[in-house]
Amino acid sequence: MLKYDSGTTALQVSGWSAITLYTDAQPSGLPAERTGDAMMPAVAPISLGDMQRAASDESEHLAYTRGVHIAFLAEWPLLAGDQAIRAFAFDAMQNVARGIERFAKGAAARTALAAKIDTVQLLASARPLVRLRGKTLNVAFNPEQGFSGRASSRAIARSLGQLLAVPMVN
């Protein structure tokens, strides 16, 4: 059994290898079957300029869709020198943006975000974490762990709910 950080079941495998996937849209579960072995997805190359434009695009998207104004920053000098770290930082940034969008469905969440967060800072670290420092949401990812070294959008949304003391609207 695999559980979300909230304690809710995400995936369950029975003794005879049947798999059920539990999602927000299907909380009672969806049957799934194995179709083959998975491979680690290739790291898509992204230039530093494209990453910086994507950061701006994510800010604009959140302002347009949720009415919250949050800037996305990263350790640009570190990312400039390492294409692999930049790819994982880009993936982490997308998860953070989707997590914020997911969290900000409700009016109380949007109000809390607007009052308490104006910047998201992406940081390379030994372990993923989400921490609020002043009005900056620090989100750390571990590039050595690849895609599993960053928080999911669901984990970001739940962390925001805890940090801002606002229940998430499903």
Side-chain angles (χ1 to χ4, degrees):
M1 184 178 301
L2 176 67
K3 294 188 177 211
Y4 292 111
D5 52 359
S6 66
T8 304
T9 301
L11 180 73
Q12 186 170 1
V13 180
S14 72
W16 52 91
S17 300
I19 298 174
T20 305
L21 178 65
Y22 298 87
T23 66
D24 288 341
Q26 295 289 328
S28 60
L30 294 168
E33 65 183 61
R34 184 177 185 276
T35 60
D37 293 333
M39 295 178 56
M40 177 71 145
V43 175
I46 182 168
S47 72
L48 182 64
D50 285 344
M51 171 111 184
Q52 290 170 324
R53 281 186 288 283
S56 178
D57 289 347
E58 294 295 0
S59 293
E60 291 173 11
H61 178 78
L62 287 170
Y64 178 75
T65 60
R66 297 292 189 242
V68 294
H69 300 278
I70 297 174
F72 286 83
L73 303 175
E75 298 172 288
W76 302 121
L78 170 69
L79 299 182
D82 192 318
Q83 183 175 347
I85 292 176
R86 192 167 52 242
F88 294 126
F90 177 75
D91 185 66
M93 179 180 64
Q94 289 181 313
N95 278 4
V96 173
R98 296 302 75 79
I100 291 171
E101 187 172 22
R102 181 182 213 164
F103 173 73
K105 285 181 183 177
R110 288 190 300 274
T111 300
L113 279 169
K116 297 183 180 180
I117 299 175
D118 62 12
T119 305
V120 169
Q121 175 73 44
L122 295 166
L123 306 163
S125 177
R127 65 185 178 120
L129 68 90
V130 180
R131 183 180 315 171
L132 188 58
R133 296 274 177 152
K135 291 188 85 171
T136 299
L137 182 68
N138 290 317
V139 180
F141 65 98
N142 184 341
E144 291 180 16
Q145 292 180 336
F147 294 106
S148 63
R150 48 68 177 143
S152 69
S153 62
R154 181 183 180 104
I156 295 293
R158 292 202 181 278
S159 293
L160 286 169
Q162 292 170 348
L163 290 169
L164 302 177
V166 176
M168 204 172 88
V169 175
N170 288 326

